Structure formats: structure tokens, C-alpha cells
Amino acid sequence: MNIWDPTHECISRDELEQLQLERLQATINRVHKNVIHYRKQFNDLGVIPENITSLADISKLPLTSKDDINRNYPYGMFAVPLREVVRIHSSSGIGSKPMVTGYTKNDIRIWSNLVARFMIAVGVTHDDLVQVTFHYGLFTGAFGLHYGAETIGASVIPMGTGDIERQIMIMQDYKSTVLVSTPSYALEIAFRMEQLGINPKSLSLKVGLLGGEPWSDNMRAQIEQGLSINATDNYGLSEVIGPGIAGECSCKSGLHIYEDAFLPEIIDPDTGKVLPAGAEGELVITTLTKEAFPLIRYRTRDITSLDYTPCACGRTLVRMKRISRRSDDMLIIRGVNVYPSQIEEAVFGAAHSEAPYQIVIERVGAVDSMEIIIEVTDKIFSLELQKQGSFLESVKKRINTITGIDVSAKLVGARSLPRQDGKITRVLDRRQI
Ligand code: DLL
């Protein structure tokens, strides 16, 4: 079996814990010295870096949230001067501003190697042709997978997102062997191929490296059949590094977390208390190698559990269960993170006042759609028809500016949205994943 970095992926637990402690102490020293936010938090809790002498001491440190990152927008939590940063990425924040992350040259090198791990783990080699269908831009997905594939010496086809039929044509003509995408995009490609009468077996595809959004075993089976590939799962989030935090091996019984680079904990999302090994709760991650943008006890809001039993693949790194839900209200629409609060900001901003609204999400085939239904208020009602049209346009434009996604919007009669105890259900997610 091929293992990219056996020294770290098959390390004994004792050695791993020693390495983690050394890296944790170095990270704590760095953020204490260079990041005002952490120094202040440590001071408030009476923590001095010298007090962290075991991995268990991590519970003395404060948790970090998306709010903290947002409050320090854009560069306040960087631990190096900008001149040492060679790359900036960002992802959706809670409000109208994104969360900005940075990488030093060394961060990029480590990131590429972490991504290489899950590629090699599911059988991708330097002989493969890797078609990357993520959007190349501020999103971490495309660059992360791109560099990982180059690191193992595979040939990268940097397609980006776009017309599905063009993706299929390139797949056919360039003889792509690996598909990099979100699970829903992979399913969309499979559906379109079926419509076009293309036999998936006529393609050269063999592996799907899929991640960026939750997906079920049922979806996996549909993708595997529809594209005639081995569909594998990988996990990450932009704030922490992007893809390359965890990935499946060929056993497909959980995702190995790359614990030499990330220290995972599971907490109770309501109390913040650390839960025992095996319990389900919110994944919290401390970065152990990052230079530009280290994070201490970052609340991912993703719900999972950790399995420390040995894996048949020979890797000793802990496995996390596939993520199925979150402890906050973040939605992932076509791979893009969206908060209901951002939609509300757009609706109220366009209406210049509060307006009753509901967000409806559907999945038709494999494609997510979001519709904003807004009740006519006296103020909106008094607008002539043409102005109502431009109000809806303004809502859609604002949502697109904040989140980058296209939505539809419509007006309905006053008090026509269903209410429970006087309240409108803000989000109606009708997707069956
Ligand atoms: O989605 C990074 C990524 C790109 C991972 C490509 C894998 C492949 P964000 O846009 O910041 O980063 O979204 C992160 O997406 O907190 C999870 O809720 C969700 N997510 C990511 N991967 C998975 C997965 C990228 N494999 C958020 N299964 C995370 C379930 C996932 N959810």
C-alpha cells in the first residue's frame, strides 16, 4: 500500500504526542508573541505559554471562533508580517466580510504535502491526469488539490468550474483519470452523462477526490455507479488550511486526520467542555505547523467523532467519522458557505427596513437552488410594480455580492408565509442529501 509520508502517517502514538506537544508549545509561543488577540485572551485567562507542559493543558487555552476572525478582519490574526505571506485566501464569514487567511512559503509546502497524502492514500499516482473542477480563486479547494497533485507528480488539468458538457468533453479527450470536485458536482456530471447517453466506462476516470460539503453513503453509491469511479472523501476548511486536514484511505472507514499538523478535540457545542474519545460532538482544531495564520482551538462547528482504533491501512492517525451536520446554521449551497444572517442583511438592506422573509433550498437532480420569498409589507406594497422588480433585483445583487451565489427572489402577499407560534421558519432546507 502506498503511503506518502510514512514517518508521520504511521508514527507511534507516543512519538506523535511528543511531536504534537513540541509543535503546540512552539505555536503557543508564536501567537503569544505576535498576535494581539491571543496575547490578550491568554492574559485574561492567566495563561502563560510556559504553563502548557502537556497536551491535556490545551484545555486551559481559549476557544477561537469565526467571530474572533471576523473581529480581526482582515489581517489582525496573522502571526507574521505581510511581507512573509505568499498567498491569501478567504472564505465566507458570518457577516458581510469574508474571513481572510494567509500562507508563508513553508505553509504552502506543508499544505501541498498534506493534500498529497490523501491522494496517494486512495491510489492516485504520478501517472494520473487530475481534472480540477473547483473554482480557482479565493476558495482554497482548487489550489490545494492542484498543488497536492503536482507534488506527487501527477498531471493537473486546471479546468475550474463551468459548463458541464465542456468538463465531460475534456474528460473524454484528455483522458482524465481523477476527478476533483464537490460530491454534488460529481453527481451533476454523472446525471448529464446519462442524459447524453455516454457510458461512464468509456471514460478513463478511476477515482473521485470529493469534498467541500456533506454527502451521504447513498450519494457515494450514485456517484460510483454513475461515473464508474471509486468516490473518496476528503475534508478541510479554509480558515484552518483548506483541504488537507483529513482524508479517507482505501479502507473508507473514516477520514484520517493529519495529527502531526492538526491537534483535534471534540467538545460539547453547548458547554464547550471536552468530550471523551469516541463521543460525538464539535470538532475543534489547533494548528501545529502553520506560520502565517495559526489557530488555537478553532471551533469548526462540524459534528463528528474520533476513532483511535488501528486502521487496516497501517496508518496510525486517528479517523474522524464523515461529517453529516453542523452545530451552527451555516448552509453549503453548491459548495459555497452561506449564513442565513447574510441573507437577512441583504433583504433588510434592500428594503431599508425589516421585512418578513423565508429562505427555501431545494436540490433538483444534483443542483442546489436557493429562493428568497419576501412578504409584501406596506412599504413594499406601496411601490409600483416596476419598483418591486428592482427591489427584488437589489436583494439578489446584494446576496451575490456578499456570498457569490445566484439566488431567485419573489414577493408574496402580506402574512402569507406560514408561521409557527407567530414566527416564520427562516430556513426551509428541502434537500435530501
Ligand atoms: O470547503 C475546503 C475544502 C475544499 C475541503 C475542497 C475539501 C475539498 P470552506 O469553504 O471553508 O472550505 O468550507 C468548510 O465545508 O467546515 C464543512 O462544514 C464543509 N466540508 C468540507 N469538506 C467536507 C466533507 C472547504 N468532506 C466547510 N464532508 C467545513 C462534509 C465538508 N463537510
Side-chain angles (χ1 to χ4, degrees):
M1 201 167 294
N2 236 341
I3 296 182
W4 179 249
D5 182 357
T7 312
H8 291 109
E9 292 179 74
C10 304
I11 192 169
S12 73
R13 190 60 31 200
D14 280 353
E15 279 177 296
L16 174 66
E17 289 184 356
Q18 185 54 37
L19 180 70
Q20 287 179 318
L21 181 58
E22 284 162 19
R23 291 182 170 178
L24 175 66
Q25 286 169 330
T27 303
I28 290 170
N29 276 319
R30 184 151 5 98
V31 300
H32 185 258
K33 189 162 152 248
N34 299 335
V35 186
I36 294 169
H37 166 81
Y38 285 118
R39 189 160 55 242
K40 194 171 165 322
Q41 293 246 309
F42 289 5
N43 287 347
D44 289 351
L45 290 171
V47 176
I48 52 169
E50 293 73 34
N51 285 351
I52 307 299
T53 56
S54 73
L55 287 179
D57 285 340
I58 196 168
S59 60
K60 296 179 184 162
L61 298 173
L63 292 161
T64 305
S65 66
K66 276 183 197 256
D67 278 318
D68 294 318
I69 300 180
N70 267 59
R71 267 196 295 274
N72 289 284
Y73 176 84
Y75 301 133
M77 285 174 74
F78 280 22
V80 297
L82 269 182
R83 66 174 177 278
E84 285 176 37
V85 171
V86 298
R87 175 76 62 71
I88 287 166
H89 278 290
S90 64
S91 74
S92 173
I94 303 166
S96 54
K97 297 286 188 192
M99 290 185 295
V100 184
T101 63
Y103 302 73
T104 62
K105 226 177 193 159
N106 198 35
D107 288 333
I108 297 274
R109 187 184 59 78
I110 292 176
W111 186 26
S112 309
N113 276 281
L114 293 172
V115 172
R117 288 185 187 183
F118 67 74
M119 293 188 158
I120 292 281
V122 293
V124 179
T125 73
H126 53 83
D127 290 328
D128 278 303
L129 283 120
V130 180
Q131 185 163 333
V132 179
T133 70
F134 288 136
H135 173 66
Y136 279 79
L138 289 170
F139 179 56
T140 49
F143 285 96
L145 273 290
H146 184 118
Y147 286 127
E150 282 189 355
T151 300
I152 65 171
S155 315
V156 180
I157 306 168
M159 276 295 288
T161 40
D163 184 62
I164 298 255
E165 282 177 33
R166 204 172 136 70
Q167 298 281 7
I168 298 172
M169 180 190 82
I170 297 289
M171 240 173 239
Q172 287 175 313
D173 296 352
Y174 295 15
K175 305 202 175 351
S176 313
T177 56
V178 177
L179 171 67
V180 168
S181 73
T182 55
S184 55
Y185 197 64
L187 200 55
E188 217 179 315
I189 296 175
F191 285 158
R192 186 62 62 88
M193 274 182 18
E194 195 183 353
Q195 282 169 356
L196 296 171
I198 298 171
N199 178 355
K201 293 207 166 66
S202 69
L203 302 181
S204 310
L205 276 189
K206 58 173 199 184
V207 176
L209 299 170
L210 312 179
E213 64 181 8
W215 53 310
S216 60
D217 286 339
N218 179 33
M219 253 177 102
R220 166 133 61 189
Q222 279 182 290
I223 295 167
E224 294 199 325
Q225 212 222 335
L227 290 178
S228 189
I229 55 170
N230 176 20
T232 66
D233 194 3
N234 67 84
Y235 166 84
L237 54 154
S238 303
E239 307 89 287
V240 176
I241 201 164
I245 295 173
E248 278 183 332
C249 60
S250 52
C251 301
K252 288 189 180 170
S253 57
L255 288 77
H256 289 282
I257 299 183
Y258 305 133
E259 288 176 277
D260 49 312
F262 308 103
L263 184 60
E265 297 171 86
I266 298 290
I267 64 163
D268 177 328
D270 298 325
T271 63
K273 272 222 166 80
V274 178
L275 297 177
E280 186 181 84
E282 182 183 326
L283 178 67
V284 166
I285 296 177
T286 300
T287 65
L288 298 175
T289 67
K290 279 179 71 192
E291 295 174 342
F293 192 72
L295 282 171
I296 304 294
R297 304 194 78 207
Y298 183 64
R299 294 191 62 166
T300 66
R301 294 290 184 175
D302 291 316
I303 302 290
T304 185
S305 60
L306 303 181
D307 181 356
Y308 287 88
T309 59
C311 180
C313 74
R315 288 175 185 79
T316 50
L317 302 177
V318 70
R319 283 168 292 156
M320 67 177 220
K321 215 167 119 199
R322 291 173 75 200
I323 308 276
S324 57
R325 58 192 179 91
R326 293 182 51 87
S327 67
D328 66 1
D329 54 0
M330 186 181 95
L331 303 158
I332 306 186
I333 311 292
R334 282 176 247 131
V336 179
N337 305 343
V338 181
Y339 280 92
S341 54
Q342 296 174 315
I343 307 291
E344 179 162 300
E345 203 174 306
V347 174
F348 292 1
H352 301 294
S353 69
E354 290 191 13
Y357 72 95
Q358 185 176 52
I359 303 166
V360 181
I361 302 153
E362 315 232 33
R363 178 167 282 183
V364 181
V367 186
D368 295 336
S369 65
M370 184 188 268
E371 183 171 50
I372 319 300
I373 306 176
I374 305 162
E375 277 184 0
V376 166
T377 56
D378 288 346
K379 201 165 167 193
I380 299 170
F381 187 64
S382 65
L383 298 174
E384 34 190 277
L385 225 51
Q386 197 189 2
K387 289 212 176 119
Q388 288 186 358
S390 53
F391 163 70
L392 290 175
E393 280 312 311
S394 149
V395 169
K396 291 195 281 187
K397 171 124 198 331
R398 280 168 187 257
I399 293 174
N400 184 279
T401 306
I402 297 174
T403 66
I405 62 166
D406 288 325
V407 299
S408 56
K410 72 173 181 192
L411 287 172
V412 292
R415 293 200 68 81
S416 64
L417 285 170
R419 284 163 167 80
Q420 205 169 16
D421 300 328
K423 286 190 208 150
I424 299 169
T425 307
R426 281 290 172 231
V427 181
L428 210 58
D429 194 343
R430 295 208 182 107
R431 287 177 294 186
Q432 289 197 329
I433 294 176

Short mmCIF file of all heavy atoms in Angstrom, two decimals, residues 66 90-92 99 118 134 139-142 145 180-183 209-215 233-239 241-244 246 255 300-302 320 322-326 330 332 335-337, ligand 1:
data_model
loop_
_atom_site.label_atom_id
_atom_site.label_comp_id
_atom_site.label_asym_id
_atom_site.label_seq_id
_atom_site.Cartn_x
_atom_site.Cartn_y
_atom_site.Cartn_z
N LYS A 66 -15.34 31.84 14.63
CA LYS A 66 -15.41 32.66 13.41
C LYS A 66 -15.53 34.14 13.78
O LYS A 66 -15.01 35.00 13.10
CB LYS A 66 -16.63 32.25 12.58
CG LYS A 66 -16.38 31.07 11.68
CD LYS A 66 -17.59 30.77 10.83
CE LYS A 66 -17.51 29.37 10.24
NZ LYS A 66 -17.16 29.30 8.84
N SER A 90 -9.61 33.29 1.16
CA SER A 90 -10.64 33.65 2.14
C SER A 90 -11.87 32.80 1.94
O SER A 90 -12.02 32.12 0.92
CB SER A 90 -10.98 35.13 2.03
OG SER A 90 -11.55 35.41 0.79
N SER A 91 -12.71 32.80 2.95
CA SER A 91 -13.99 32.10 2.83
C SER A 91 -15.03 32.94 3.52
O SER A 91 -14.71 33.89 4.24
CB SER A 91 -13.91 30.71 3.45
OG SER A 91 -13.92 30.82 4.84
N SER A 92 -16.27 32.55 3.30
CA SER A 92 -17.39 33.32 3.79
C SER A 92 -17.33 33.50 5.31
O SER A 92 -17.16 32.53 6.05
CB SER A 92 -18.65 32.57 3.40
OG SER A 92 -19.76 33.15 3.97
N MET A 99 -13.63 35.79 5.75
CA MET A 99 -12.53 35.51 6.69
C MET A 99 -11.27 35.33 5.85
O MET A 99 -11.27 34.56 4.90
CB MET A 99 -12.81 34.25 7.48
CG MET A 99 -13.93 34.44 8.47
SD MET A 99 -14.16 33.00 9.49
CE MET A 99 -14.68 31.82 8.29
N PHE A 118 -3.71 12.34 0.99
CA PHE A 118 -4.99 11.63 0.74
C PHE A 118 -5.11 11.21 -0.72
O PHE A 118 -5.89 10.31 -1.04
CB PHE A 118 -6.21 12.40 1.27
CG PHE A 118 -6.56 13.69 0.60
CD1 PHE A 118 -7.15 13.72 -0.65
CD2 PHE A 118 -6.36 14.90 1.26
CE1 PHE A 118 -7.51 14.92 -1.25
CE2 PHE A 118 -6.70 16.11 0.66
CZ PHE A 118 -7.27 16.11 -0.60
N PHE A 134 -12.86 22.63 -9.25
CA PHE A 134 -13.19 23.70 -8.30
C PHE A 134 -12.86 25.04 -8.94
O PHE A 134 -11.99 25.13 -9.81
CB PHE A 134 -12.32 23.58 -7.03
CG PHE A 134 -12.68 22.43 -6.12
CD1 PHE A 134 -11.67 21.64 -5.58
CD2 PHE A 134 -13.99 22.16 -5.79
CE1 PHE A 134 -11.98 20.59 -4.73
CE2 PHE A 134 -14.30 21.12 -4.93
CZ PHE A 134 -13.29 20.33 -4.40
N PHE A 139 -11.29 30.71 -3.01
CA PHE A 139 -11.62 29.40 -2.43
C PHE A 139 -10.35 28.53 -2.41
O PHE A 139 -9.59 28.50 -3.39
CB PHE A 139 -12.70 28.74 -3.30
CG PHE A 139 -13.13 27.37 -2.84
CD1 PHE A 139 -13.60 27.17 -1.56
CD2 PHE A 139 -13.08 26.29 -3.71
CE1 PHE A 139 -14.01 25.91 -1.15
CE2 PHE A 139 -13.50 25.02 -3.31
CZ PHE A 139 -13.96 24.83 -2.02
N THR A 140 -10.16 27.83 -1.29
CA THR A 140 -8.91 27.06 -1.13
C THR A 140 -8.89 25.74 -1.91
O THR A 140 -7.83 25.16 -2.10
CB THR A 140 -8.72 26.70 0.36
OG1 THR A 140 -9.95 26.13 0.84
CG2 THR A 140 -8.33 27.90 1.19
N GLY A 141 -10.08 25.27 -2.32
CA GLY A 141 -10.19 23.93 -2.89
C GLY A 141 -9.29 23.69 -4.10
O GLY A 141 -8.51 22.74 -4.15
N ALA A 142 -9.39 24.60 -5.11
CA ALA A 142 -8.69 24.36 -6.37
C ALA A 142 -7.17 24.36 -6.16
O ALA A 142 -6.47 23.43 -6.59
CB ALA A 142 -9.08 25.42 -7.40
N LEU A 145 -5.83 21.23 -4.04
CA LEU A 145 -5.78 19.96 -4.78
C LEU A 145 -4.77 20.05 -5.91
O LEU A 145 -4.06 19.09 -6.22
CB LEU A 145 -7.18 19.62 -5.32
CG LEU A 145 -8.14 18.84 -4.42
CD1 LEU A 145 -7.68 17.39 -4.25
CD2 LEU A 145 -8.37 19.45 -3.07
N VAL A 180 -11.59 15.89 -9.45
CA VAL A 180 -11.59 16.66 -8.20
C VAL A 180 -12.81 17.56 -8.24
O VAL A 180 -12.94 18.40 -9.13
CB VAL A 180 -10.31 17.51 -8.09
CG1 VAL A 180 -10.44 18.51 -6.95
CG2 VAL A 180 -9.09 16.62 -7.91
N SER A 181 -13.72 17.37 -7.28
CA SER A 181 -14.93 18.21 -7.27
C SER A 181 -15.66 18.09 -5.95
O SER A 181 -15.23 17.35 -5.06
CB SER A 181 -15.88 17.78 -8.41
OG SER A 181 -16.50 16.55 -8.11
N THR A 182 -16.75 18.84 -5.83
CA THR A 182 -17.65 18.59 -4.71
C THR A 182 -18.46 17.35 -5.07
O THR A 182 -18.64 17.06 -6.26
CB THR A 182 -18.62 19.77 -4.49
OG1 THR A 182 -19.31 20.02 -5.71
CG2 THR A 182 -17.91 21.02 -4.03
N PRO A 183 -18.98 16.64 -4.07
CA PRO A 183 -19.80 15.46 -4.39
C PRO A 183 -21.00 15.82 -5.26
O PRO A 183 -21.34 15.08 -6.19
CB PRO A 183 -20.25 14.95 -3.01
CG PRO A 183 -19.32 15.58 -2.03
CD PRO A 183 -18.75 16.82 -2.64
N LEU A 209 -11.89 12.55 -6.05
CA LEU A 209 -11.43 13.14 -4.78
C LEU A 209 -12.45 14.20 -4.43
O LEU A 209 -12.43 15.30 -4.99
CB LEU A 209 -10.04 13.75 -4.95
CG LEU A 209 -8.91 12.79 -5.36
CD1 LEU A 209 -7.66 13.57 -5.73
CD2 LEU A 209 -8.61 11.81 -4.24
N LEU A 210 -13.38 13.84 -3.56
CA LEU A 210 -14.56 14.68 -3.37
C LEU A 210 -14.59 15.26 -1.96
O LEU A 210 -14.30 14.56 -0.98
CB LEU A 210 -15.82 13.87 -3.65
CG LEU A 210 -15.80 13.06 -4.96
CD1 LEU A 210 -17.08 12.27 -5.14
CD2 LEU A 210 -15.56 13.94 -6.17
N GLY A 211 -14.95 16.53 -1.86
CA GLY A 211 -15.02 17.16 -0.55
C GLY A 211 -15.60 18.55 -0.66
O GLY A 211 -16.02 18.99 -1.73
N GLY A 212 -15.63 19.24 0.47
CA GLY A 212 -16.10 20.62 0.49
C GLY A 212 -17.54 20.76 0.97
O GLY A 212 -18.00 21.86 1.23
N GLU A 213 -18.27 19.65 1.08
CA GLU A 213 -19.66 19.70 1.54
C GLU A 213 -20.06 18.31 2.04
O GLU A 213 -19.43 17.31 1.67
CB GLU A 213 -20.59 20.14 0.39
CG GLU A 213 -20.60 19.13 -0.75
CD GLU A 213 -21.47 19.52 -1.93
OE1 GLU A 213 -21.99 20.65 -1.96
OE2 GLU A 213 -21.63 18.68 -2.84
N PRO A 214 -21.10 18.24 2.88
CA PRO A 214 -21.51 16.93 3.38
C PRO A 214 -22.14 16.09 2.27
O PRO A 214 -22.78 16.63 1.38
CB PRO A 214 -22.57 17.26 4.44
CG PRO A 214 -22.58 18.73 4.60
CD PRO A 214 -21.90 19.34 3.42
N TRP A 215 -21.95 14.79 2.35
CA TRP A 215 -22.59 13.87 1.40
C TRP A 215 -22.81 12.55 2.09
O TRP A 215 -22.13 12.21 3.05
CB TRP A 215 -21.81 13.75 0.10
CG TRP A 215 -20.34 13.40 0.16
CD1 TRP A 215 -19.39 14.01 0.94
CD2 TRP A 215 -19.64 12.42 -0.61
NE1 TRP A 215 -18.15 13.46 0.70
CE2 TRP A 215 -18.27 12.49 -0.24
CE3 TRP A 215 -20.03 11.50 -1.58
CZ2 TRP A 215 -17.30 11.66 -0.81
CZ3 TRP A 215 -19.05 10.69 -2.14
CH2 TRP A 215 -17.71 10.78 -1.76
N ASP A 233 -13.59 10.56 0.03
CA ASP A 233 -13.96 11.77 0.78
C ASP A 233 -12.71 12.45 1.36
O ASP A 233 -11.83 11.77 1.92
CB ASP A 233 -14.89 11.34 1.93
CG ASP A 233 -15.62 12.50 2.58
OD1 ASP A 233 -15.46 13.65 2.11
OD2 ASP A 233 -16.35 12.26 3.56
N ASN A 234 -12.63 13.75 1.23
CA ASN A 234 -11.59 14.49 1.95
C ASN A 234 -12.18 15.74 2.56
O ASN A 234 -13.16 16.28 2.04
CB ASN A 234 -10.39 14.79 1.05
CG ASN A 234 -10.73 15.75 -0.05
OD1 ASN A 234 -10.71 16.97 0.15
ND2 ASN A 234 -11.06 15.22 -1.23
N TYR A 235 -11.58 16.19 3.67
CA TYR A 235 -12.20 17.23 4.48
C TYR A 235 -11.22 18.36 4.80
O TYR A 235 -10.02 18.12 4.98
CB TYR A 235 -12.69 16.60 5.79
CG TYR A 235 -13.05 17.58 6.88
CD1 TYR A 235 -14.31 18.18 6.92
CD2 TYR A 235 -12.13 17.92 7.88
CE1 TYR A 235 -14.65 19.08 7.92
CE2 TYR A 235 -12.47 18.82 8.90
CZ TYR A 235 -13.74 19.39 8.91
OH TYR A 235 -14.05 20.29 9.90
N GLY A 236 -11.74 19.54 4.86
CA GLY A 236 -10.93 20.66 5.31
C GLY A 236 -11.77 21.91 5.40
O GLY A 236 -12.92 21.92 4.99
N LEU A 237 -11.20 22.95 6.00
CA LEU A 237 -11.88 24.24 5.98
C LEU A 237 -10.85 25.34 5.79
O LEU A 237 -9.72 25.22 6.23
CB LEU A 237 -12.76 24.48 7.20
CG LEU A 237 -12.21 24.34 8.59
CD1 LEU A 237 -13.02 25.21 9.53
CD2 LEU A 237 -12.34 22.90 9.04
N SER A 238 -11.29 26.38 5.10
CA SER A 238 -10.36 27.42 4.66
C SER A 238 -9.58 28.04 5.81
O SER A 238 -8.38 28.26 5.69
CB SER A 238 -11.13 28.53 3.96
OG SER A 238 -11.83 27.99 2.90
N GLU A 239 -10.28 28.36 6.90
CA GLU A 239 -9.60 29.06 7.99
C GLU A 239 -8.43 28.25 8.50
O GLU A 239 -7.40 28.79 8.90
CB GLU A 239 -10.56 29.30 9.18
CG GLU A 239 -11.84 29.99 8.87
CD GLU A 239 -12.93 28.98 8.50
OE1 GLU A 239 -12.85 28.42 7.39
OE2 GLU A 239 -13.84 28.76 9.31
N ILE A 241 -6.73 25.55 6.89
CA ILE A 241 -5.71 25.41 5.83
C ILE A 241 -6.38 25.28 4.47
O ILE A 241 -5.83 25.65 3.45
CB ILE A 241 -4.77 24.20 6.10
CG1 ILE A 241 -3.46 24.37 5.32
CG2 ILE A 241 -5.40 22.86 5.74
CD1 ILE A 241 -2.32 23.46 5.79
N GLY A 242 -7.61 24.73 4.45
CA GLY A 242 -8.27 24.36 3.20
C GLY A 242 -8.36 22.84 3.19
O GLY A 242 -8.33 22.21 4.25
N PRO A 243 -8.45 22.21 2.01
CA PRO A 243 -8.43 20.74 2.00
C PRO A 243 -7.07 20.27 2.53
O PRO A 243 -6.10 21.02 2.47
CB PRO A 243 -8.57 20.39 0.52
CG PRO A 243 -8.16 21.63 -0.22
CD PRO A 243 -8.50 22.79 0.67
N GLY A 244 -7.04 19.02 3.06
CA GLY A 244 -5.74 18.53 3.55
C GLY A 244 -5.68 18.45 5.07
O GLY A 244 -4.62 18.28 5.65
N ALA A 246 -7.93 16.22 6.63
CA ALA A 246 -8.22 14.79 6.79
C ALA A 246 -8.67 14.20 5.47
O ALA A 246 -9.24 14.91 4.63
CB ALA A 246 -9.32 14.61 7.84
N LEU A 255 -12.08 9.27 8.06
CA LEU A 255 -11.04 10.10 7.42
C LEU A 255 -9.89 10.28 8.41
O LEU A 255 -10.10 10.74 9.54
CB LEU A 255 -11.60 11.47 7.04
CG LEU A 255 -12.57 11.52 5.86
CD1 LEU A 255 -13.95 11.02 6.27
CD2 LEU A 255 -12.69 12.93 5.30
N THR A 300 -14.73 24.37 14.61
CA THR A 300 -15.10 24.16 13.20
C THR A 300 -16.60 24.20 12.99
O THR A 300 -17.07 24.40 11.89
CB THR A 300 -14.62 22.79 12.68
OG1 THR A 300 -15.34 21.77 13.40
CG2 THR A 300 -13.12 22.61 12.85
N ARG A 301 -17.35 23.91 14.07
CA ARG A 301 -18.81 23.77 14.01
C ARG A 301 -19.25 22.50 13.30
O ARG A 301 -20.45 22.28 13.09
CB ARG A 301 -19.46 25.00 13.34
CG ARG A 301 -19.29 26.28 14.14
CD ARG A 301 -20.12 26.20 15.38
NE ARG A 301 -20.11 27.41 16.16
CZ ARG A 301 -20.85 27.57 17.24
NH1 ARG A 301 -21.64 26.58 17.66
NH2 ARG A 301 -20.81 28.65 17.94
N ASP A 302 -18.31 21.67 12.89
CA ASP A 302 -18.66 20.40 12.25
C ASP A 302 -18.79 19.32 13.31
O ASP A 302 -17.95 19.21 14.21
CB ASP A 302 -17.57 20.00 11.24
CG ASP A 302 -17.56 20.92 10.03
OD1 ASP A 302 -18.67 21.23 9.53
OD2 ASP A 302 -16.48 21.35 9.60
N MET A 320 -11.71 10.35 11.70
CA MET A 320 -12.96 11.02 12.09
C MET A 320 -14.10 10.49 11.21
O MET A 320 -13.89 10.14 10.06
CB MET A 320 -12.86 12.54 11.96
CG MET A 320 -12.71 13.06 10.56
SD MET A 320 -12.69 14.88 10.59
CE MET A 320 -13.68 15.21 9.15
N ARG A 322 -17.40 10.60 8.97
CA ARG A 322 -17.77 11.61 7.96
C ARG A 322 -18.74 12.63 8.57
O ARG A 322 -19.62 12.28 9.35
CB ARG A 322 -18.39 10.92 6.75
CG ARG A 322 -17.34 10.10 6.01
CD ARG A 322 -17.95 9.29 4.93
NE ARG A 322 -18.32 10.10 3.80
CZ ARG A 322 -19.20 9.72 2.88
NH1 ARG A 322 -19.81 8.57 2.98
NH2 ARG A 322 -19.46 10.50 1.85
N ILE A 323 -18.54 13.88 8.16
CA ILE A 323 -19.36 14.97 8.73
C ILE A 323 -20.75 14.93 8.12
O ILE A 323 -20.88 14.90 6.90
CB ILE A 323 -18.74 16.34 8.38
CG1 ILE A 323 -17.26 16.42 8.75
CG2 ILE A 323 -19.57 17.50 8.92
CD1 ILE A 323 -16.97 16.78 10.14
N SER A 324 -21.76 14.97 8.98
CA SER A 324 -23.10 14.97 8.41
C SER A 324 -23.86 16.22 8.78
O SER A 324 -24.83 16.59 8.13
CB SER A 324 -23.86 13.74 8.88
OG SER A 324 -23.88 13.76 10.28
N ARG A 325 -23.42 16.89 9.84
CA ARG A 325 -24.17 18.10 10.21
C ARG A 325 -23.29 19.08 10.95
O ARG A 325 -22.14 18.76 11.26
CB ARG A 325 -25.40 17.74 11.07
CG ARG A 325 -25.06 17.00 12.33
CD ARG A 325 -26.29 16.40 12.97
NE ARG A 325 -25.87 15.67 14.16
CZ ARG A 325 -25.81 16.21 15.36
NH1 ARG A 325 -26.15 17.47 15.54
NH2 ARG A 325 -25.40 15.50 16.39
N ARG A 326 -23.84 20.25 11.23
CA ARG A 326 -23.06 21.30 11.89
C ARG A 326 -23.76 21.75 13.16
O ARG A 326 -24.94 21.49 13.35
CB ARG A 326 -22.89 22.50 10.94
CG ARG A 326 -22.03 22.17 9.73
CD ARG A 326 -21.86 23.39 8.86
NE ARG A 326 -21.41 24.58 9.55
CZ ARG A 326 -20.14 24.89 9.79
NH1 ARG A 326 -19.17 24.11 9.40
NH2 ARG A 326 -19.83 26.01 10.43
N MET A 330 -24.91 27.37 9.41
CA MET A 330 -24.29 27.58 8.10
C MET A 330 -24.85 26.59 7.07
O MET A 330 -25.02 25.42 7.36
CB MET A 330 -22.77 27.40 8.19
CG MET A 330 -22.05 27.74 6.90
SD MET A 330 -20.28 27.50 7.01
CE MET A 330 -20.11 25.84 6.35
N ILE A 332 -24.43 25.01 3.08
CA ILE A 332 -23.46 24.91 1.98
C ILE A 332 -24.27 24.73 0.70
O ILE A 332 -24.95 23.72 0.52
CB ILE A 332 -22.46 23.76 2.20
CG1 ILE A 332 -21.78 23.92 3.58
CG2 ILE A 332 -21.40 23.74 1.09
CD1 ILE A 332 -20.65 22.94 3.86
N GLY A 335 -21.47 24.07 -2.79
CA GLY A 335 -20.10 24.14 -2.30
C GLY A 335 -19.73 25.48 -1.65
O GLY A 335 -18.64 25.64 -1.13
N VAL A 336 -20.66 26.44 -1.64
CA VAL A 336 -20.35 27.76 -1.07
C VAL A 336 -21.01 27.89 0.31
O VAL A 336 -22.18 27.54 0.48
CB VAL A 336 -20.87 28.89 -2.00
CG1 VAL A 336 -20.58 30.26 -1.40
CG2 VAL A 336 -20.26 28.76 -3.38
N ASN A 337 -20.23 28.39 1.27
CA ASN A 337 -20.78 28.54 2.62
C ASN A 337 -21.63 29.81 2.71
O ASN A 337 -21.18 30.88 2.33
CB ASN A 337 -19.64 28.66 3.63
CG ASN A 337 -18.70 27.49 3.55
OD1 ASN A 337 -19.03 26.46 2.98
ND2 ASN A 337 -17.52 27.64 4.11
O1 DLL B 1 -14.61 23.51 1.63
C1 DLL B 1 -12.24 23.27 1.90
C2 DLL B 1 -12.27 22.08 1.03
C3 DLL B 1 -12.21 22.22 -0.33
C4 DLL B 1 -12.31 20.81 1.58
C5 DLL B 1 -12.20 21.14 -1.12
C6 DLL B 1 -12.29 19.70 0.78
C7 DLL B 1 -12.24 19.85 -0.59
P1 DLL B 1 -14.66 26.00 3.24
O2 DLL B 1 -15.25 26.61 2.02
O3 DLL B 1 -14.10 26.92 4.26
O4 DLL B 1 -13.50 25.05 2.89
O5 DLL B 1 -15.80 25.10 3.89
C8 DLL B 1 -15.52 24.35 5.03
O6 DLL B 1 -17.21 22.75 4.43
O7 DLL B 1 -16.45 23.35 7.86
C9 DLL B 1 -17.56 21.63 6.48
O8 DLL B 1 -18.77 22.11 7.05
C10 DLL B 1 -17.71 21.53 4.97
N1 DLL B 1 -16.91 20.42 4.45
C11 DLL B 1 -15.70 20.47 3.87
N2 DLL B 1 -15.31 19.23 3.49
C12 DLL B 1 -16.30 18.38 3.87
C13 DLL B 1 -16.50 16.97 3.78
C14 DLL B 1 -13.58 23.94 2.09
N3 DLL B 1 -15.64 16.17 3.20
C15 DLL B 1 -16.75 23.60 5.49
N4 DLL B 1 -17.65 16.46 4.32
C16 DLL B 1 -16.45 22.67 6.63
C17 DLL B 1 -18.56 17.26 4.91
C18 DLL B 1 -17.32 19.14 4.49
N5 DLL B 1 -18.42 18.59 5.00
#
